[in-house]
Amino acid sequence: MVRRLSILKQPIFSTLNNHLIDYPTPSNLSYWWSFGSLAGLCLVIQIITGVFLAMHYTPHVDLAFLSVEHIMRDVKGGWLLRYMHANGASMFFIVVYLHIFRGLYYGSYASPRELVWCLGVVILLLMIVTAFIGYGKLRQMSFWGATVITSLASAIPVVGDTIVTWLWGGFSVDNATLNRFFSPHYLLPFIIAGAAILHLAALHQYGSNNPLGINSSVDKIAFYPYFYVKDLVGWVAFAIFFSIFVFYAPNVLGHPDNYIPANPMSTPAHIVPEWYFLPVYAILRSISNKSGGVAAIGLVFVSLFALPFINTSYVRSSSFRPIHQKLFWLLLADCLLLGWIGCQPVEAPYVTIGQIASVGFFFYFAITPILGKLEARLIQNSNVCEDLSPRKLSHIFKNLLDVVK
Amino acid sequence: MMRGVVRRLPALARLSGSSGSSSSFCTAGVPFVHDAQECNKGFGFQEDGGVLFRSPSRVTGFLFHRGFASDALAGESAGTMAVPATVAALKNPTGKITYDESVHERHPPGDPSKKAFTYLVLTGGRFVYASALRLLALKLILSMSASRDVLALASLEVDVSNIEPGMTVTVKWRGKPVFIRHRTEQDIKLANSVNLHELRDPEEDSARVINPEWLVVVGVCTHLGCVPLPNAGDYGGWFCPCHGSHYDISGRARKGPAPFNLEVPTYKFMEDTRLLIG
């Protein structure tokens, strides 16, 4: 009788129980699986610090810069709120990028988890927009960054310039732009939270992937306490890493030009966006044509969305895909290279390197449909299973996919 | 006893089973549920002072043997390397749970051996998390308290050297008006001559001033908050036009709806002619 009265069996709590406590989780998850909950933690940190910062920030062109200095100097603990929010954004992107690369390596995007992956890309897009409009407008770097990126809309034929003027609410980034960016900056994180819940729900339809990439129904353990503790270790490690930036190097990820109030008459010599935008920025700059650059950025996200559907491999984890494994590390190196190129001036040899690196990035996605079939063929040809014809082997692989859900 | 012997040689211990004891407890090595006969059947064990080696690869076996838990179950099949242990385990499904202790010791649930230390570590961690949460909550809540620029305006210095006797000056302090009156001898006598029983809020004049020559009161009517007018009313002090309250030369309420005397803020004289209010 007492068991039925247990709080974990009541409505709402039972949902909590079924998804966070008694949830069957593969027993072999490594620490690479901690980045999901860590991303959720980052979102919570950003929302809480953001809400408290908004109590002291003034989104008016004459007062914005001063209000931030007011927060830093006058508000009790304001410096901590501001540095946590600014560095928290960087942390959020670090965690999410690691989370994405985990997904690429272990094939977490593959069937049946396509929806999880696509929702993840949606979250990434929302994060990018939120971070961009939250970067402020009234500091040298922010102002010019905002001017450059909003001007991209003028690439749209015919109506481009009208759209840009509409976006700005005027003829340049000014008070109107600041206000209309601040409002969605407050709103979007809650949309992200909703998308994150959908992301988790989609994941829980089939359960988490695991480092082996195989069906884990044979050995699942409860989420609580095992992965609660494992995630807690991850959270503590993250807190230490985060604290190093917030307390010892709070401005190292930013740009010193951003402590200069915006000057519409003079652009800084090297405009750079925040580090987490650099790879995409590099791809944008690789193409000299304005619309081409914008199209290239669009293509990046189209490729990400399409990945689960163009994948032809029956094997998920790169542990068992030797060719894909090498390509994965090449992709990672390529992204780091693109990031570096993004903060270099647009001169030789950086331009050429950037163009090659951009091609390399898209090559990974282009090769994906072929790669799965190539690896399957290589397994067949390696005579691993002597008594099986290549045809029978393909048949087995195909059925494996149904079992391995 | 067998358990203790085997633990001393962990690397080799995982290849051992227990011979001679037909108990079904898990040894510190690969835990088998078997008896001596099975032992000799499957692997050709040799007994050597309690520590057993697998044949044929006796010497090198323990170096390269990976110690999968499924080895325990693979004992039933013939040979050692003919069928990989993982395949054998799949072919012979059983409900037995086996543990591989080649990585580290296993303490079954309820085992008291390291419970105290474990709990100490975990509880220490929980104290840290609690203090971190407390700190975070405090920082967030206190960020809403008065910021330093507001606090800086919380005290006001006033130079009163230019105020003639009989003059009243109004200054803004913490967003409110403060009346500073340089009282004449007459004013002081008048203030002291009032019978306390007549007052609705009895207060000696001397209790309301530091230096009787200077009256410093907050200019907010104690009725509903309007600002009283100076040098008005029937008692030589202030008159509040909103609802007709009269205040005397000591700022005490005499007539009208005001319940209390005008508030005296915290103030002090830094020098004879400089006041610090707040």
Side-chain angles (χ1 to χ4, degrees), chain A residues 52 56 70 73-74 76, chain B residues 129 140 143-144 147-149:
Chain A
F52 277 89
H56 305 279
H70 161 72
R73 294 157 195 254
D74 292 329
K76 299 274 173 67
Chain B
Y129 311 141
L140 288 172
S143 76
M144 290 170 66
S147 53
R148 284 188 203 99
D149 56 335

Side-chain angles (χ1 to χ4, degrees), chain A residues 16-307:
Chain A
L16 192 76
N17 181 57
N18 295 338
H19 286 273
L20 281 176
I21 302 175
D22 285 339
Y23 184 72
T25 320
S27 63
N28 61 334
L29 295 187
S30 65
Y31 275 106
W32 289 106
W33 267 257
S34 299
F35 287 103
S37 69
L38 217 44
L41 176 68
C42 285
L43 180 65
V44 168
I45 291 175
Q46 290 302 97
I47 288 179
I48 293 181
T49 53
V51 165
F52 277 89
L53 277 171
M55 294 180 188
H56 305 279
Y57 177 70
T58 308
H60 185 280
V61 66
D62 298 328
L63 297 168
F65 190 91
L66 289 173
S67 70
V68 174
E69 284 309 302
H70 161 72
I71 289 171
M72 292 296 292
R73 294 157 195 254
D74 292 329
V75 174
K76 299 274 173 67
W79 57 273
L80 183 62
L81 285 174
R82 197 269 181 117
Y83 279 149
M84 277 181 76
H85 198 74
N87 287 291
S90 285
M91 293 296 118
F92 201 176
F93 276 96
I94 292 177
V95 164
V96 164
Y97 284 152
L98 289 168
H99 184 70
I100 293 174
F101 275 96
R102 182 282 311 261
L104 285 173
Y105 186 87
Y106 289 110
S108 305
Y109 56 84
S111 172
R113 297 181 184 90
E114 301 97 329
L115 184 60
V116 186
W117 176 265
C118 291
L119 281 168
V121 180
V122 166
I123 293 175
L124 178 65
L125 271 170
L126 288 171
M127 275 174 63
I128 287 174
V129 174
T130 309
F132 174 69
I133 60 183
Y135 190 38
K137 306 281 146 288
L138 293 171
R139 303 164 166 270
Q140 267 298 65
M141 205 46 79
S142 320
F143 178 87
W144 289 105
T147 305
V148 164
I149 298 301
T150 46
S151 298
L152 283 179
S154 62
I156 303 170
V158 184
V159 291
D161 285 321
T162 318
I163 290 183
V164 173
T165 314
W166 169 79
L167 200 60
W168 283 341
F171 305 107
S172 68
V173 171
D174 203 356
N175 194 41
T177 326
L178 184 63
N179 271 282
R180 68 186 50 192
F181 276 15
F182 185 58
S183 168
H185 182 71
Y186 204 119
L187 172 70
L188 281 177
F190 297 98
I191 312 281
I192 293 177
I197 292 174
L198 290 177
H199 185 67
L200 203 62
L203 175 70
H204 282 194
Q205 200 180 6
Y206 294 104
S208 289
N209 191 18
N210 65 86
L212 293 174
I214 59 174
N215 184 3
S216 54
S217 317
V218 294
D219 194 3
K220 297 234 188 184
I221 54 179
F223 187 86
Y224 181 90
Y226 302 108
F227 293 102
Y228 156 73
V229 167
K230 194 166 188 127
D231 280 352
L232 197 59
V233 172
W235 288 22
V236 170
F238 169 78
I240 295 173
F241 182 70
F242 187 29
S243 300
I244 292 174
F245 284 95
V246 169
F247 296 109
Y248 291 105
N251 290 303
V252 76
L253 293 170
H255 200 286
D257 270 1
N258 241 12
Y259 276 96
I260 306 173
N263 179 358
M265 300 292 119
S266 148
T267 312
H270 296 124
I271 317 183
V272 266
E274 287 285 272
W275 69 267
Y276 34 83
F277 292 146
L278 289 174
V280 179
Y281 188 60
I283 294 178
L284 169 74
R285 289 196 309 188
S286 293
I287 305 188
S288 350
N289 182 322
K290 185 164 161 187
S291 346
V294 176
I297 296 186
L299 191 61
V300 168
F301 289 99
V302 166
S303 312
L304 282 171
F305 270 113
L307 188 61

